[in-house]
Structures are given as structure tokens and as C-alpha cells.
Amino acid sequence: MGGAPAPGPLVTVEQVDGFAVLTLNDPAHRNALSYEMSCAIAEAVELVLAADAGAIVLTAAPPVFCAGGNLDDLIAPRVPLADTYAGMLALAHAPVPTIAAVGGAAIGAGVNLPLACDIIIAGESASFDPRFLDVGIAPGGGHLWRLAGRIGTQGAAALVLCGDRLTGAEAARSGLAWRCVPDDELTAVATRLARRAAGRQHDLVARTKETLRTTAALADADEAVAAELVVQQWSVDRPGFADHVRGIRDRLRAARSG
């Protein structure tokens, strides 16, 4: 039968080596964060978590990482604003490490996606440009809170209120991104981190990630010590812990003697 080929999925999913790579796959629309795209991200996250992915890498088909919200949807909303954040929230609430590999521009609500991830790796082509106010809309989805948490209130004010933008290298220097790498190394760096995380004990990684979030909100060091002690004790009380440590010890001894 003739006719145009059917469009591919808005988010492609690749599962390899115990982790998953989710790729925004609507380059014709600059990977805009439409309601459909947001739902597709949420569904993809749910899918890979059900398949026991130990980490998630979020990337996008070039040349733009994500152009932000769909302007037509702002003019004539089809769903409440809260419903448009399903994908971002799925990433933010994922119990496994999440890594955004950002190549090209992340604009407006498109910045929310990497902000929702635990780690941002920026390519040299990356840029971060909130641009909400240029469209006449206030930031949403926890954007200001997440942004200020990474680069401080002053940085958030410069980007959001004054329209500044950061390149990939500037994002790394400011703390918005963990590091900036050449574009041709972006996927390799992100997947290397994901592979390492996925190779660790999943329950231990998930509980440690939860503790990281919990202790970040504490103001007192003694409270943090107490909170970590609870989880540390849980970790050593798990079945097989002693055997695991014994195996490491024996391998180290064998290596030294060899």
C-alpha cells in the first residue's frame, strides 16, 4: 500500500546492560513538550522501571533537545496545565538514577526535563534558556525550585527574570550540569554512568537515592547522621551482605598476593 510512512514513537526506548535510554523523537517539531510527548515520556519511564532498569538516560534526536511547551496548546489548552507535567514528574520520581544527556537547545519547559534528572551531562552544543517570561507565562513544574537548587537564587533570577542563557560549558561551571563534553562523547559519558549505576545492587541504589533527597532537605548535620545511620544499618542487615563483602575482601587479597 502507498502513502506516507507512519510516524515513529514520540519517545524511543532502548534497554541495554541493565539500564534504559529514552530518546525524545520528534525532531520535526524540535521535540516540543506537547501533552502527547509528556505522556509518552511518562509511559516510557513506567515501562523501563517495570522491566527492572537500573538507571535511565534521557536524550533527544538532534538538533534540538527540547523546544519547550507547544504554543498551540497554550493558546487553546486541551488539558489542565498540571497534566502537561506527567513526563517530568515521572523522571523526578523515578527510584533509579536518571541522567539527562543534553545536546542542542533546551528551551522553556524543555529545561524542566533535565532539571528533573539526577545528573545533567551537557554537550558542547547544549544551551539552557528558560524563556518562560518571553512567552508571557510564569515558570511551572517546580522549575524555579529545581533551578535555584542547582545554581542558587541569583542564577535562577538571571536566567528566568532577566533572560540570560547558559551554554553547555557555562552550565557545567555554574553547577547546572555535572560536566560538559564534546557532542560526540555525550552518549558514551551518560551511558557509562548509567551502566555503572545499573551494575550495583538495585535496592541499595534506590534506598541511597531516597536518602540523598531526604538529607538534602535537612538543616542539621546530626539529623543527617541519624537519617543515614538508619539506611546504613538496613544495608548491612540485608541477607547476603557478609558474603558480598567477603567476596570483595578475598578478591583483593588474591590480587595483592598475585
Side-chain angles (χ1 to χ4, degrees):
M1 295 177 65
L10 289 176
V11 177
T12 63
V13 177
E14 180 184 9
Q15 300 189 66
V16 57
D17 293 342
F19 66 92
V21 179
L22 310 185
T23 303
L24 309 184
N25 189 42
D26 192 15
H29 298 99
R30 305 172 74 210
N31 298 315
L33 196 55
S34 63
Y35 173 65
E36 290 79 9
M37 174 66 86
S38 184
C39 290
I41 295 169
E43 291 168 3
V45 171
E46 182 179 4
L47 172 70
V48 300
L49 290 178
D52 199 31
I56 296 173
V57 174
L58 179 71
T59 186
V64 174
F65 181 80
C66 181
N70 183 292
L71 297 182
D72 289 336
D73 287 348
L74 291 177
I75 296 167
R78 295 176 292 154
V79 297
L81 275 173
D83 292 352
T84 65
Y85 292 112
M88 182 275 295
L89 291 173
L91 289 166
H93 295 155
V96 302
T98 51
I99 303 161
V102 181
I107 300 169
V111 182
N112 279 352
L113 295 177
L115 282 177
C117 294
D118 299 311
I119 300 166
I120 300 173
I121 305 297
E124 290 178 340
S125 68
S127 63
F128 300 84
D129 184 2
R131 207 184 293 183
F132 283 96
L133 273 59
D134 290 348
V135 184
I137 187 172
H143 181 91
L144 295 171
W145 182 79
R146 297 183 194 283
L147 187 59
R150 301 224 184 200
I151 62 175
T153 303
Q154 177 175 237
L159 288 175
V160 176
L161 303 181
C162 301
D164 204 356
R165 62 189 287 276
L166 295 177
T167 65
E170 290 168 338
R173 288 197 294 269
S174 72
L176 177 58
W178 174 238
R179 63 175 63 180
C180 179
V181 300
D183 285 343
D184 60 0
E185 298 177 14
L186 180 59
T187 299
V189 171
T191 55
R192 184 175 72 242
L193 292 175
R195 184 175 292 107
R196 183 70 187 276
R200 291 175 163 175
Q201 297 167 341
H202 289 193
D203 59 341
L204 181 60
V205 172
R207 190 74 184 268
T208 303
K209 174 174 174 173
E210 179 185 358
T211 308
L212 176 62
R213 289 178 170 178
T214 300
T215 55
L218 300 177
D220 182 81
D222 289 338
E223 291 182 25
V225 169
E228 289 183 8
L229 183 59
V230 170
V231 181
Q232 189 175 53
Q233 188 64 55
W234 162 83
S235 69
V236 301
D237 288 342
R238 290 175 304 149
F241 171 78
D243 289 339
H244 179 71
V245 176
R246 190 176 295 110
I248 295 173
R249 182 201 63 189
D250 292 347
R251 287 194 296 273
L252 289 173
R253 287 178 176 173
R256 293 191 194 102
S257 63

